[in-house]
Amino acid sequence: MRPLSLNSVYPVLDKPIGFALLGPAGNPHNTVEILCDGVAMALASKDVIDAAPTRE
């Protein structure tokens, strides 16, 4: 049996994706701010930007 590649079934997957960070209710505001700042820094990093697919 030959392995099945996702690209052979769906040659072009052009769907937006999203993500969420979840935590328990009542998280301290400063904790949420620290997480938000960290995610923003990570998403703005050159490595992430270079790895992100581009629309042509």
Side-chain angles (χ1 to χ4, degrees):
M1 183 172 176
R2 197 177 104 205
L4 181 63
S5 165
L6 184 60
N7 288 338
S8 68
V9 178
Y10 300 104
V12 177
L13 292 176
D14 189 19
K15 301 292 180 203
I17 60 167
F19 70 94
L21 294 176
L22 304 175
N27 269 335
H29 183 71
N30 64 331
T31 301
V32 175
E33 293 246 341
I34 290 169
L35 288 171
C36 183
D37 291 345
V39 169
M41 284 175 44
L43 291 176
S45 74
K46 184 174 179 345
D47 290 338
V48 172
I49 292 170
D50 290 346
T54 59
R55 291 184 181 253
E56 296 176 10

